[in-house]
Amino acid sequence: MNSENSTDLYRLFASHICESKFTVVLTGAGISTESGIPDFRSPNGVWATNRQVYFDEFLSDPEARYEYWRQKSVSHREFADSIPNVGHRTIVKWQKQGLVERVITQNIDGLHQQAGSEDVIEIHGTARRVACLSCGWNEDAEVMVQRFLANDACPKCDECGGITKHATISFGQQLNETVMQDTIDTLRKAELVIALGTSLVVEPAASIPWINNSARRKVAIVNREETGKDHLADIVINGELGVTLTEIDKHVEHAMMAD
Ligand code: NAD
């Protein structure tokens, strides 16, 4: 992409944002890499260094459960010590300007909320809390991770002694129905869906931009590399999110001043 082409793309992207009456942003792990949290599929991503613990293993096998908690105690530090980056902050700015209605995220790091986004739909839950799988009791993840590290054993529920797990959706675990319904209802109104930092290969999240699709709907993608759904999008920019969103925002500002 030469600079002339990229300027045209930024301008077009900005015009879609300014023209849409209801814009939804969908984010994936790529929006948080600039905050120091690795994604799944990049060479230094989570899968390069960890084995996946599936939900049924977690339930049935104490060793898998321990491995899960070991991994989570490491990733917890990355989450807890990280702060939102320019990508998260640009979305908040657009929300305050009335340009973005709602954020749907696959991320579990809580950085959108920390940046100031309200009412975020977390389709894969949150790693900021730990919950009991039996009674629903829940506690701050920091407290539970410290307990795991202090005792070198999976922490049990304070209320009923049940198995505890981060309040996230693990591999092989059902998505939360209420959260998915909220997602579907939100997309009913969407004229523009902006997918940021997601490989768009993990279903059903990968199909979210096209749920309740309408003739008016435009889909815009920013990602470092090609995604599984580029062929379905109206506009695709391959680039780093921080610089790309900053450039798009300059064109948004310009378009708003011209109005
Ligand atoms: P993914 O790892 O499949 O894809 C992330 C995409 O972002 C990749 O295509 C990568 O090229 C791109 N990317 C990375 N850094 C970027 C940057 N700075 N600018 C532009 N693009 C960048 O992530 P996903 O599609 O969100 O996938 C699946 C799962 O990963 C989700 O379930 C999510 O919960 C989980 N996950 C979340 C976190 C987090 O909460 N921060 C971290 C790792 C994994």
Side-chain angles (χ1 to χ4, degrees), residues 27-30 32-34 37-42 46 79 106-109 124 197-202 222-226 239-241:
T27 62
S32 294
T33 57
E34 291 175 36
I37 301 174
D39 61 14
F40 271 172
R41 288 180 180 75
S42 294
V46 175
F79 289 171
Q106 298 169 73
N107 295 344
I108 53 176
D109 56 32
H124 291 160
T198 170
S199 53
L200 294 177
V201 293
V202 184
V222 181
N223 203 54
R224 176 187 288 161
E225 57 193 6
E226 286 180 13
E240 295 299 302
L241 276 164

